[in-house]
Amino acid sequence: MSAQSNYTEDNIRSLDWKEHIRMRPGMYIGKLGDGSSPDDGIYILVKEVLDNSIDEYVMGAGKTIEISIQGNKVIVRDYGRGIPLGKVVDVVSKMNTGGKYDSKAFKKSVGLNGVGTKAVNALSNYFRVESTRDGKSASAEFEQGNLINQDLLEDTSRRKGTKVSFVPDESIFKNYKFRNEYVIKLLKNYVYLNPGLTIIFNGEKYYSENGLKDLLSENINETDRLYPIIHLKGDDIEVALTHSKTQYSEEYHSFVNGQNTTQGGTHLAAYREAIVKTVREYYGKNYEASDIRKSIVTAVSIKVMEPVFESQTKTKLGSTDMGGHLPTVRTYINDFVKTQLDNFLHKNADTAEKIQRKILQAERERKELSGIRKLAKDRAKKASLHNKKLRDCRVHFGDTKNERNLETTLFITEGDSASGSITKSRDVNTQAVFSLKGKPLNCYGLSKKIVYENEEFNLLQAALNIEESLEDLRYNNVVIATDADVDGMHIRLLLITFFLQFFPEVIKEGHLYILQTPLFRVRNKKETIYCYSEDERRNAIEKLKPKPEITRFKGLGEISPDEFKHFIGEDIRLDPIMLDDNMSIEELLAFYMGKNTPTRQEFIIDNLKVELDLIEEEK
């Protein structure tokens, strides 16, 4: 008799709300991560709590939100209406419970289904909610979703509102830490979308008077704007746009009901279409869509009734209707842009002339590159999935939508041995490998033509699918994986230059990382410790007394595939590449990659002295 699993009543199990969330966290918050990526789970937890406070502000209750993140503990305090006291426990621990089901209490809200704070509760080691209203206060405390304490104060002088405190569970979010840069970007988006709202984060105040115009001002330096930012507002829509003088590709920031839809959706598709249609009609020319949108930097925000998103994390809008008696999303956006942008262009002839010159320039460049681009695309097709340059992941095979898109990673590595180790160690479902051949070209100051003429850049662009827009980026995480020696550092710098020069939005949107791999292996017969710094090495030696074996890894190729699994799996360490707000991309590239100058020479010498001093201290 062949072995078979018995399928009886004993196999049927019902999970309560918190067990299901903890067993399948990805269904509720997307990927987990360790905080190195802006879409990692710990930031989704912050966002889910904040969304409720934002909804209070939108409903006219509470103009200030206070946030504190100290270590792993997050505290969010708003001055809204406060949760009804008798429901404080239910709204954070009972599924299908929440105010968002009542459209009278919440219109055009961010949170839809009352799942958000329940997910935060279930995925936190410690969770506390306190509500104050009508001179009374109620609170409840939980551990991993289990209620451990609740109180009701009859009289209190505290201001009305809600306060939520939580500590993400380290058994779920392993080795995590909050990066203030990502939190600040999230908060800035909230104030841009809600002019008049004040958010105080760790004592720092964030506020916006000009909405999306302020967002664009933050994202494109004034010297790089082809013309002053066009800012248009309607009842349920707001847009801001300009063109970059130096950027090649399109850059979009899209929002629905205050939610940053990083993957776009029906509203963004309609907006891109509306811009093209309006411009064509204004100039009376059937310009190519790509020429009109080339170098555009723009933001669009809409508010709809009961929006439908394609995932719980609300990163892509699926709705086609605005809600109520309003027209479709496409018609609404098209009518607004056609009227408002057309009016603006008629009233601002100087801006209209600059836009037309930009379109004609893009048209000339496209025609000049057409032959090269065709050859480049043919080469890329031949060298795609069957070429050793790119070993793709299974998420991209077939036409079906895959829930693991947020986990997709492309490792860019150099040399056969290193790429071989990563290829053998990777998760073939979500991790791909792109192998460089030698050092990339320093592309600072070169035109986009070089991307098509240079085989490495052409194939990398094709692998990422970012020729015209970031919207179709094939990998959520783009990871530079090179040796931690001088050559490896140089390759990193050259690749970062490539992205800054031609595709800066890959960095701006938080997709580019450096893979951290161990410098040392310290082990005895019982234990092995991988060390990423001298400090970790010293601590490991002290822990594994008396005389452990110490190995210094000189390159990625020296690390066996079995070992590499540790470094690109659950315990992966990624350092995000972030831009300094105080320096424009052009200034950044000119300083680090331009001609040698006394200023840069002085910078290198000063930093070399600091490094040598640190080495001496360690000795």
Side-chain angles (χ1 to χ4, degrees):
M1 181 179 175
S2 60
Q4 280 188 333
S5 296
N6 291 324
Y7 182 50
T8 68
E9 287 86 347
D10 294 334
N11 298 111
I12 307 298
R13 184 184 171 203
S14 296
L15 300 176
D16 73 7
W17 68 277
K18 58 185 175 294
E19 287 179 313
H20 191 269
I21 293 172
R22 290 177 66 83
M23 182 175 285
R24 298 283 186 269
M27 288 178 60
Y28 299 89
I29 62 164
K31 67 174 184 173
L32 297 178
D34 63 358
S36 59
S37 173
D39 49 25
D40 281 350
I42 58 172
Y43 304 114
I44 303 301
L45 299 187
V46 174
K47 185 188 76 62
E48 291 290 356
V49 175
L50 270 170
D51 282 349
N52 292 332
S53 298
I54 297 296
D55 285 337
E56 286 296 307
Y57 171 78
V58 170
M59 295 302 294
K63 294 182 178 180
T64 301
I65 301 171
E66 296 166 355
I67 304 162
S68 166
I69 299 182
Q70 302 298 330
N72 293 343
K73 187 173 185 178
V74 180
I75 302 173
V76 179
R77 167 69 154 109
D78 69 44
Y79 297 91
R81 294 167 291 184
I83 301 166
L85 302 186
K87 294 292 185 180
V88 165
V89 173
D90 287 355
V91 298
V92 298
S93 64
K94 194 172 182 181
M95 294 302 267
N96 304 319
T97 302
K100 309 299 164 58
Y101 294 107
D102 185 351
S103 60
K104 296 174 186 175
F106 290 90
K107 294 180 179 179
K108 299 170 185 172
S109 66
V110 179
L112 291 181
N113 46 23
V115 172
T117 49
K118 298 168 188 63
V120 181
N121 187 359
L123 299 175
S124 295
N125 267 333
Y126 173 80
F127 180 93
R128 184 178 190 274
V129 58
E130 179 183 334
S131 174
T132 304
R133 57 189 287 163
D134 305 323
K136 297 179 181 180
S137 178
S139 66
E141 290 181 289
F142 299 80
E143 288 180 356
Q144 297 179 350
N146 296 300
L147 180 66
I148 58 172
N149 187 39
Q150 64 181 117
D151 287 308
L152 179 66
L153 292 177
E154 286 301 320
D155 297 297
T156 179
S157 59
R158 295 176 195 147
R159 289 176 61 188
K160 68 178 180 178
T162 304
K163 181 179 179 181
V164 173
S165 309
F166 67 93
V167 178
D169 191 338
E170 288 187 345
S171 69
I172 293 174
F173 306 98
K174 296 178 180 176
N175 302 315
Y176 75 86
K177 71 172 181 178
F178 286 97
R179 293 181 185 267
N180 284 350
E181 296 93 337
Y182 291 147
V183 178
I184 290 169
K185 183 177 180 182
L186 175 69
L187 302 185
K188 283 182 176 180
N189 280 343
Y190 277 125
V191 297
Y192 295 145
L193 294 162
N194 299 279
L197 170 68
T198 296
I199 296 182
I200 300 171
F201 173 54
N202 288 350
E204 193 77 22
K205 181 179 175 181
Y206 297 93
Y207 179 87
S208 170
E209 289 186 359
N210 303 304
L212 293 186
K213 184 178 180 182
D214 289 341
L215 184 152
L216 243 59
S217 296
E218 173 99 3
N219 278 273
I220 178 168
N221 192 280
E222 187 173 0
T223 59
D224 189 33
R225 296 174 207 157
L226 182 66
Y227 49 87
I229 295 167
I230 299 172
H231 189 207
L232 309 170
K233 294 182 73 173
D235 290 337
D236 288 313
I237 186 170
E238 179 183 1
V239 303
L241 68 106
T242 186
H243 278 79
S244 166
K245 293 177 184 176
T246 57
Q247 186 170 309
Y248 288 93
S249 50
E250 305 166 29
E251 181 178 331
Y252 297 94
H253 305 268
S254 68
F255 304 87
V256 174
N257 293 10
Q259 168 61 44
N260 187 4
T261 44
T262 53
Q263 293 182 298
T266 52
H267 63 309
L268 183 56
Y271 178 56
R272 295 177 72 204
E273 179 185 292
I275 290 172
V276 171
K277 188 175 181 181
T278 302
V279 167
R280 282 174 175 166
E281 289 180 3
Y282 175 80
Y283 295 108
K285 302 279 187 181
N286 192 30
Y287 293 126
E288 282 281 331
S290 61
D291 295 335
I292 293 170
R293 296 193 302 245
K294 183 182 178 183
S295 307
I296 196 171
V297 181
T298 184
V300 56
S301 171
I302 66 167
K303 292 178 181 177
V304 304
M305 292 284 285
E306 300 181 357
V308 176
F309 294 96
E310 292 192 8
S311 71
Q312 166 62 21
T313 51
K314 311 179 187 81
T315 54
K316 188 173 185 179
L317 181 69
S319 299
T320 56
D321 294 318
M322 293 291 291
H325 300 293
L326 294 172
T328 65
V329 168
R330 183 183 178 193
T331 301
Y332 182 82
I333 292 176
N334 188 69
D335 288 350
F336 173 82
V337 173
K338 181 181 178 181
T339 302
Q340 298 298 322
L341 182 57
D342 185 75
N343 286 346
F344 182 92
L345 294 175
H346 274 98
K347 293 175 183 177
N348 296 270
D350 184 55
T351 295
E353 186 182 338
K354 287 178 179 177
I355 291 174
Q356 188 172 37
R357 283 206 303 266
K358 184 73 175 176
I359 294 169
L360 294 174
Q361 179 189 342
E363 186 177 67
R364 285 193 300 271
E365 290 174 358
R366 176 176 53 81
K367 288 177 179 177
E368 287 172 8
L369 286 173
S370 60
I372 297 171
R373 287 174 74 172
K374 187 177 184 306
L375 288 172
K377 285 183 177 180
D378 289 342
R379 287 203 309 269
K381 281 181 183 177
K382 291 176 184 175
S384 60
L385 298 177
H386 304 295
N387 191 292
K388 291 182 179 179
K389 297 291 295 179
L390 174 66
R391 294 176 175 89
D392 209 349
C393 54
R394 288 177 181 164
V395 164
H396 293 138
F397 297 162
D399 298 324
T400 57
K401 178 189 169 189
N402 196 297
E403 294 292 332
R404 301 186 70 186
N405 279 325
L406 278 177
E407 299 173 47
T408 53
T409 298
L410 179 70
F411 293 103
I412 304 174
T413 189
E414 188 266 330
D416 293 337
S417 58
S419 63
S421 288
I422 295 181
T423 300
K424 291 173 185 174
S425 312
R426 66 183 174 134
D427 176 350
V428 294
N429 292 306
T430 59
Q431 294 178 330
V433 182
F434 184 91
S435 180
L436 293 169
K437 184 179 180 182
K439 286 186 181 179
L441 181 72
N442 179 1
C443 59
Y444 169 62
L446 301 180
S447 71
K448 187 73 177 283
K449 183 180 178 184
I450 198 67
V451 177
Y452 300 102
E453 292 181 334
N454 181 279
E455 183 182 19
E456 300 286 309
F457 290 158
N458 174 42
L459 295 178
L460 181 55
Q461 173 187 259
L464 293 170
N465 195 33
I466 52 175
E467 182 179 1
E468 292 179 1
S469 171
L470 193 66
E471 193 178 352
D472 298 317
L473 178 69
R474 295 180 77 241
Y475 305 93
N476 191 52
N477 308 310
V478 182
V479 179
I480 300 172
T482 59
D483 294 341
D485 57 12
V486 175
D487 281 342
M489 299 288 184
H490 191 203
I491 292 170
R492 289 180 190 177
L493 195 57
L494 293 168
L495 284 170
I496 292 170
T497 301
F498 164 74
F499 285 107
L500 283 173
Q501 179 78 13
F502 301 115
F503 306 104
E505 65 278 18
V506 171
I507 297 175
K508 287 181 181 179
E509 293 301 312
H511 294 287
L512 189 64
Y513 303 87
I514 300 293
L515 175 68
Q516 293 296 312
T517 51
L519 297 173
F520 306 97
R521 179 181 61 210
V522 181
R523 67 182 176 185
N524 58 23
K525 291 181 180 179
K526 294 182 179 179
E527 189 175 357
T528 298
I529 301 174
Y530 296 100
C531 309
Y532 292 75
S533 67
E534 285 287 346
D535 280 344
E536 289 187 17
R537 181 182 70 87
R538 281 195 293 270
N539 293 336
I541 292 171
E542 192 173 324
K543 182 181 178 183
L544 302 183
K545 292 176 180 178
K547 283 188 176 181
E549 174 195 316
I550 303 169
T551 303
R552 170 71 161 92
F553 294 119
K554 295 177 183 177
L556 302 186
E558 292 184 349
I559 304 174
S560 70
D562 285 341
E563 285 183 298
F564 227 119
K565 286 180 182 177
H566 299 290
F567 317 135
I568 60 173
E570 277 191 0
D571 297 327
I572 191 170
R573 293 196 193 185
L574 297 176
D575 280 345
I577 303 297
M578 297 180 179
L579 290 174
D580 185 348
D581 290 339
N582 298 318
M583 188 180 284
S584 71
I585 291 174
E586 183 60 31
E587 290 170 330
L588 197 68
L589 287 171
F591 182 79
Y592 288 103
M593 303 306 291
K595 294 180 179 179
N596 286 313
T597 64
T599 309
R600 188 168 69 182
Q601 186 178 13
E602 191 176 307
F603 171 82
I604 293 169
I605 292 170
D606 287 345
N607 281 273
L608 184 61
K609 285 177 183 175
V610 172
E611 187 70 26
L612 291 172
D613 288 343
L614 288 172
I615 292 170
E616 282 301 315
E617 284 179 22
E618 287 181 356
K619 287 181 179 177

